[in-house]
């Protein structure tokens, strides 16, 4: 079997078209324009490129959008005051603080200062707790993107054996929580593996759907999966440079080997990556609707 490719660029584009229409509708019907502020501290090149991409997408979708650049030496108090200002700004529905922050600033304190109703990254403990009990307003962006990729590629999630490799707070734990809810697009039996797991292959071989977020190239190889598995490779690992001087990337799964056994697989790049920003936009539209009292 050679796997079908799950194309994240295509799915993300489709969702962006849907969001564009939704933005037009809520502007016309409720006079609300989704507002997003992205706060960037310092001049980390990777952070600048992420924030620029988020800003561009939000403008393309018709959002009211602000990029707030702050110097590297901003104090924690000044940053907390800035967040407070945006918490109170009725035109802003989503606040995104680009991580990492400089070492003299306590990241947790900053993320916890964001109004949970404007926490479009879904990292505030209120939103983490709501996800846990099946009442999430915002799903964290990368896990939400994984769920959309599965749903929109026709994967049968309900009743599936899902195995997640990795238990981070931004990918492994939230995708586990999302897929085990007794809800549409979920209701799976989910197992989570990590470096303390005794026999990882025992678990991965049982998976109908395998989600790998380990941050290690070839953490999963062909001998560790069963025929017909659907594989979502979240990993982004830099493994050198292309002749054109761009970073050469690979995922956490041995793509060439695993694609011969899988029924579907995401490539890296072009799989989960493009979905993350799109889910941030979806959360901002949702925040604007919640703010306006629209169901
Ligand atoms: P992380 O915080 O480093 O967590 C990695 C997890 O994988 C940990 O729970 C670790 O276990 C587990 N792990 C590592 N090696 C393992 C192995 N050989 N066997 C079993 N478990 C193993 O990473 P993350 O933030 O979740 O990110 C994971 C990957 O996804 C990274 O490559 C990251 O760049 C990528 N990512 C991509 C996107 C995107 O938009 N495409 C977004 C977020 C992350 P322990 O807990 O025991 O240490």
């Amino acid at each position: 079997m050679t796997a079908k490719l799950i194309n994240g660029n295509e799915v993300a584009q489709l969702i962006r078209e849907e969001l564009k229409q939704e933005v037009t509708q809520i502007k016309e019907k409720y006079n609300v324009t989704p507002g997003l502020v992205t706060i960037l501290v310092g001049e980390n090149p990777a952070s600048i490129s992420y924030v620029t991409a988020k800003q561009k997408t939000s403008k393309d979708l018709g959002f009211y959008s602000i990029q707030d650049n702050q110097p590297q030496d901003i104090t924690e108090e000044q940053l907390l005051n800035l967040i407070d200002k945006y918490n109170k700004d009725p035109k802003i529905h989503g606040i995104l603080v680009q991580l990492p922050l400089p070492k003299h600033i306590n990241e947790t304190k900053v993320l916890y200062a964001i109004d949970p109703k404007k926490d479009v990254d879904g990292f505030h403990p209120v939103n983490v707790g709501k996800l846990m009990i099946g009442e999430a307003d915002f799903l964290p962006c990368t896990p939400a993107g994984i769920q959309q990729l599965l749903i929109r590629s026709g994967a049968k999630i309900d009743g599936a054996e899902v195995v997640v490799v990795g238990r981070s707070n931004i990918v492994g734990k939230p995708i586990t929580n999302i897929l085990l809810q007794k809800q549409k697009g979920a209701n799976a039996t989910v197992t989570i593996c990590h470096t303390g797991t005794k026999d990882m292959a025992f678990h991965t071989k049982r998976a109908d759907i395998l989600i790998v977020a380990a941050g290690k190239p070839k953490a999963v190889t062909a001998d560790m999966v069963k025929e017909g598995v659907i594989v979502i490779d979240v990993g982004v690992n830099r493994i050198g440079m292309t002749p054109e001087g761009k970073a050469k990337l690979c995922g956490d799964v041995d793509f060439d080997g695993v694609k011969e056994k899988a029924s579907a697989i995401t490539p890296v790049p072009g799989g989960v990556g493009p979905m993350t920003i799109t889910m941030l936009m979806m959360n901002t539209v949702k925040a604007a609707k919640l703010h306006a009292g629209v169901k």
Side-chain angles (χ1 to χ4, degrees):
M1 178 181 287
T2 294
K4 182 185 95 177
L5 273 191
I6 301 175
N7 187 327
N9 285 312
E10 275 177 23
V11 178
Q13 188 52 38
L14 196 75
I15 296 175
R16 286 179 198 189
E17 292 305 324
E18 292 169 7
L19 285 174
K20 224 177 199 168
Q21 287 178 17
E22 206 175 346
V23 170
T24 309
Q25 277 170 10
I26 58 173
K27 272 185 191 174
E28 281 171 7
K29 260 188 161 173
Y30 305 101
N31 198 24
V32 174
T33 301
L36 176 70
V37 60
T38 48
I39 301 174
L40 173 69
V41 177
E43 290 175 4
N44 175 324
S47 295
I48 292 174
S49 83
Y50 292 140
V51 165
T52 307
K54 287 166 189 172
Q55 276 295 314
K56 183 182 176 315
T57 310
S58 66
K59 283 187 180 139
D60 288 349
L61 294 181
F63 288 13
Y64 167 66
S65 131
I66 298 178
Q67 179 165 341
D68 192 329
N69 293 346
Q70 294 293 329
Q72 178 80 9
D73 61 357
I74 185 174
T75 65
E76 187 176 284
E77 194 188 352
Q78 285 168 327
L79 187 56
L80 291 172
N81 286 338
L82 190 68
I83 288 171
D84 189 47
K85 181 185 97 172
Y86 289 121
N87 279 342
K88 290 176 180 147
D89 184 341
K91 287 204 295 205
I92 293 295
H93 307 105
I95 301 172
L96 185 288
V97 179
Q98 187 63 46
L99 302 180
L101 291 171
K103 287 203 170 63
H104 66 277
I105 297 177
N106 181 334
E107 258 178 28
T108 307
K109 208 167 164 186
V110 169
L111 294 181
Y112 287 14
I114 297 173
D115 180 345
K117 293 192 187 72
K118 299 191 178 190
D119 168 41
V120 283
D121 247 346
F123 292 156
H124 193 286
V126 166
N127 289 320
V128 175
K130 283 179 124 179
L131 165 59
M132 189 87 180
I133 59 171
E135 291 182 8
D137 292 323
F138 308 114
L139 299 177
C141 300
T142 300
I146 295 170
Q147 186 190 33
Q148 285 298 320
L149 280 179
L150 289 170
I151 292 172
R152 288 171 188 254
S153 59
K156 189 180 175 316
I157 307 173
D158 193 332
E161 290 287 340
V162 174
V163 176
V164 177
V165 179
R167 58 177 160 190
S168 72
N169 290 334
I170 63 163
V171 188
K173 282 182 197 150
I175 190 61
T176 299
N177 271 320
I178 290 170
L179 295 180
L180 64 76
Q181 298 300 328
K182 197 169 183 175
Q183 288 172 358
K184 239 177 121 189
N187 206 30
T189 303
V190 192
T191 305
I192 187 160
C193 299
H194 44 75
T195 57
T197 301
K198 276 190 195 144
D199 182 356
M200 197 164 83
F202 167 79
H203 298 284
T204 54
K205 273 185 195 160
R206 289 187 301 105
D208 301 316
I209 298 172
L210 179 61
I211 299 167
V212 190
K216 298 263 167 12
K218 300 197 180 168
V220 169
T221 47
D223 56 320
M224 296 167 72
V225 302
K226 73 172 181 188
E227 286 283 340
V229 62
I230 296 171
V231 180
I232 305 289
D233 188 351
V234 190
V236 180
N237 303 292
R238 283 165 204 266
I239 49 163
M241 300 298 269
T242 63
E244 299 80 42
K246 285 190 174 166
K248 208 168 163 190
L249 304 177
C250 79
D252 290 346
V253 173
D254 178 15
F255 182 85
D256 290 335
V258 171
K259 80 173 187 332
E260 298 305 324
K261 286 176 93 176
S263 60
I265 187 167
T266 55
V268 179
V272 175
M275 295 296 292
T276 301
I277 292 183
T278 304
M279 292 300 111
L280 176 72
M281 302 303 140
M282 194 186 250
N283 280 345
T284 307
V285 171
K286 195 161 184 204
K289 285 163 73 180
L290 286 172
H291 174 83
V294 184
K295 288 230 164 168

